[in-house]
Amino acid sequence: MSDSIKHECGIALIRLRKPIEYYVEKYGTPMYGVNKLFLLMQKQHNRGQDGAGVASIKIDAGPGMEYISRFRSVKTRAIDSIFGKIGKEYKELKESNPEKAEDISWVWNNMPFLGDVYLGHLRYGTHGVNSVDNCHPMVRENNWRSRSLAVAGNFNMTNVEEQFQKLIELGQHPKQKSDTITVLEKIGHFLDEENQELFESYKHEFTNKEITSLIEENLDLEHVLKRAGKDFDGGYAMAGLTGYGASFVVRDPNGIRPAYYYIDDEVVVVASEKPAIKTAFDVDYSAIKEITPGHALIVDKEGNPSLREIIEPREKLSCSFERIYFSRGNDPEIYEERKNMGKRLCGQILEAVNYDLKNTVFSYIPNTAETSWLGMMKGIEDYLRTYRKQAILNQQLTEEELDDILQFKPRAEKLVIKDVKLRTFITDDNNRDDLVTHVYDTTYEVVKKGIDTLVVLDDSIVRGTTLEKSIIKMLDKLDPKKIIIVSCAPQIRYPDCYGIDMSRLKEFVAFRAMLALLEDRGLYYKIDEVYDKCQAVEGTEAFKETNFVKELFDLFTHDEISAKVSEIVKAPGVKAEVQVIYQTIEDLHLACPNHRGDWYFTGNYPTPGGTRVVNRAFMNFVEKKAVRAY
Ligand SMILES: NC(=O)CC[C@H](N)C(=O)O
């Protein structure tokens, strides 16, 4: 990935279904759950480096004992810092009371973070600043355990403003306007109502103490989530712990954000990515399931899990960027999909190099494009096999020609090397551009000067600036005839508003290409026309129904946009011919048939809030406002 796009989040939830003694006996430590949470989070560290947080619930903690415990951090190595603290607490507890260290119930009662249910979160913020206060889990605490709630999510809501107003209408005073607090308060409000209704129904027959247990046994979390989630507009995988020990993970009706679970008689586990569960619990991939869109996995106080429909599922449009780039590529399905993405690009690549494989060098931009590159090389091999077969069948070949054909191998080289350390050193000073050029390095002396074409695969092209300022300039120093940059993702034309921070249109190189084409053809006035159309309906339903920006892209073909992008990323002074090739949307869907979320490529948003965001993002561009459109 040459352009870094951030903003994902990861969730991890563990419910231990047996008493603590069971884990001590079987695994030798009361820290079993904590250790597993650590692993689940470490294996998802790719999903968020702004900060991290964890919370745990001790079910049936005695009066006077803490039942919710939480740690959060925005330190550079946030996961290590949090678990370092927890580990230190445990060590100190044992060292200061050596005679009690083996007494499990004493350790359990005196180590606040030991619990029955654990929740972990990795954050890349999409709302609010990067502070510890914005780290999840966020907690709403009450003396009634059944009214207490902690939430952590991978999500972005496109209607936070409306949700916030609703809370005020409900009579609340939300302490912040952040989306996480808004969601927390919304679920919290209906949790309170549910508590209140149960309380009213028991109050004439039972004492308050009895009512507490009755509420915890009978509280209907499904009902709470149904009422709270009714008007959420966004992509979400939202995890929550209640103070009495029931927990849930609810997923949006299109399944935009990922959530997977595994259940056996010892644990219920949920995570954003399958490999995290696979590695942490060493279970079969086939036993790890996806939470059905629009459903919640609810685990009751006793630890019994069930999958419940919360909102009627809509067309499944899970984010294809997870497959292209975000999620870890060692998930067997993602591994296959990425290889397929590479393979499906071969037709376009072969045409672009005129089928001249002798003078073509294949390479990739580290690291996420590596798997697709394997697929791409497989596609080239497949082509060669057919070519050889035909040559042998159709022609009278001399022995020398036959040897040539049989011995020829496509030329695969590692041409692009990432110098990670350099990026951290770069500041905003005058020499920035010169330093940026050297974030990547290259391998010299493998390219035939003036003859070879370099085909370099990347997973996506967002802004195109690293290509322009670093990679193409650097490759050009090898003196190739032509440089072809190939993108596994189609052209990124529209913003994301469901958890990835790609919200400013002007930053997309495909958008800039479209603007340049408007300019070239004397059509720039179309910008004003589209702006007027947006302005005329802003605030009405129509603003959420039609993506007006599409009209502008529709003026040009896919190839015209690609050709303009090629011009833009070719910095002045670059001698080689430059061509950019993108995956088509059809081929992407064929490569990832179960993850068809493609609004950033097509402009077809699965929710009305998304369409509003693209129109607003366009207006922000015209109004020169450099702000997020949600
Ligand atoms: N990337 C995410 O899922 C972000 C979660 C949430 N919107 C936040 O900003 O904290």
Side-chain angles (χ1 to χ4, degrees), residues 246-311:
S247 55
F248 62 85
V249 178
V250 58
R251 197 169 175 212
D252 64 81
N254 296 102
I256 295 172
R257 297 265 61 90
Y260 295 93
Y261 67 95
Y262 166 77
I263 300 170
D264 65 18
D265 56 355
E266 291 181 6
V267 285
V268 177
V269 191
V270 182
S272 300
E273 296 187 28
K274 270 192 194 178
I277 301 180
K278 161 79 192 162
T279 313
F281 290 88
D282 193 20
V283 294
D284 248 26
Y285 263 108
S286 58
I288 306 169
K289 309 271 183 248
E290 198 173 339
I291 295 182
T292 316
H295 284 58
L297 181 71
I298 297 178
V299 189
D300 68 13
K301 189 184 172 188
E302 274 65 49
N304 304 308
S306 60
L307 204 57
R308 302 288 173 80
E309 183 176 308
I310 302 300
I311 306 178

Side-chain angles (χ1 to χ4, degrees), residues 320-506:
S320 54
F321 242 106
E322 289 283 351
R323 321 301 287 183
I324 298 168
Y325 167 66
F326 280 121
S327 293
R328 288 165 78 103
N330 56 344
D331 176 317
E333 270 175 44
I334 297 182
Y335 189 73
E336 261 325 294
E337 288 166 9
R338 288 192 184 163
K339 284 211 292 197
N340 231 321
M341 286 177 214
K343 207 167 163 189
R344 290 190 169 275
L345 284 156
C346 287
Q348 290 192 71
I349 295 169
L350 285 164
E351 220 168 277
V353 300
N354 287 325
Y355 298 84
D356 175 11
L357 294 186
K358 284 212 167 98
N359 298 313
T360 301
V361 178
F362 294 95
S363 198
Y364 63 92
I365 294 170
N367 296 322
T368 33
E370 193 174 348
T371 309
S372 333
W373 183 72
L374 291 174
M376 182 177 104
M377 293 318 291
K378 174 86 180 43
I380 299 294
E381 299 274 5
D382 287 351
Y383 158 76
L384 258 180
R385 206 182 38 234
T386 325
Y387 169 80
R388 281 189 195 118
K389 197 169 152 186
Q390 256 158 21
I392 294 168
L393 287 176
N394 297 346
Q395 289 171 25
Q396 292 288 333
L397 297 173
T398 63
E399 197 175 335
E400 203 180 324
E401 282 167 340
L402 189 62
D403 271 348
D404 245 20
I405 284 183
L406 292 177
Q407 273 164 17
F408 179 76
K409 277 207 172 93
R411 296 164 62 200
E413 303 288 354
K414 192 162 169 65
L415 288 181
V416 185
I417 300 146
K418 193 167 184 180
D419 276 329
V420 183
K421 292 231 169 69
L422 200 73
R423 193 182 275 283
T424 56
F425 173 73
I426 293 172
T427 53
D428 268 340
D429 68 8
N430 300 339
N431 291 324
R432 194 173 183 278
D433 271 7
D434 184 41
L435 284 173
V436 168
T437 312
H438 298 289
V439 166
Y440 288 92
D441 211 337
T442 189
T443 310
Y444 292 93
E445 308 299 334
V446 291
V447 172
K448 287 178 273 166
K449 296 189 171 143
I451 298 172
D452 279 343
T453 292
L454 312 183
V455 173
V456 181
L457 183 70
D458 200 356
D459 40 48
S460 58
I461 305 170
V462 187
R463 292 174 286 270
T465 36
T466 315
L467 281 181
E468 180 195 342
K469 292 195 188 308
S470 175
I471 291 168
I472 293 178
K473 273 191 190 170
M474 173 197 78
L475 292 173
D476 192 51
K477 289 191 186 145
L478 304 175
D479 283 327
K481 185 173 105 197
K482 184 172 176 181
I483 300 168
I484 303 177
I485 304 288
V486 186
S487 163
C488 282
Q491 296 165 353
I492 298 170
R493 298 175 165 199
Y494 305 99
D496 183 78
C497 51
Y498 301 123
I500 308 173
D501 189 35
M502 305 193 298
S503 68
R504 285 172 275 263
L505 282 171
K506 212 183 137 189

Side-chain angles (χ1 to χ4, degrees), residues 571-626:
V574 169
K575 296 183 297 300
E577 187 190 332
V578 174
Q579 182 180 358
V580 175
I581 292 176
Y582 286 98
Q583 186 91 255
T584 64
I585 292 163
E586 297 71 36
D587 275 334
L588 176 73
H589 289 331
L590 288 168
C592 317
N594 301 320
H595 302 270
R596 300 173 66 90
D598 62 5
W599 45 91
Y600 13 67
F601 311 128
T602 58
N604 302 332
Y605 289 83
T607 73
T611 306
R612 196 197 59 205
V613 166
V614 64
N615 290 329
R616 187 62 245 172
F618 176 72
M619 294 178 78
N620 285 344
F621 156 72
V622 178
E623 291 162 9
K624 298 195 169 40
K625 287 187 191 152

Side-chain angles (χ1 to χ4, degrees), residues 7-9 123-127 136 153-156 179-180 499:
H7 298 275
E8 266 301 318
C9 279
R123 180 168 192 254
Y124 262 144
T126 55
H127 264 270
H136 311 198
N154 170 203
F155 75 105
N156 194 63
D179 58 346
T180 315

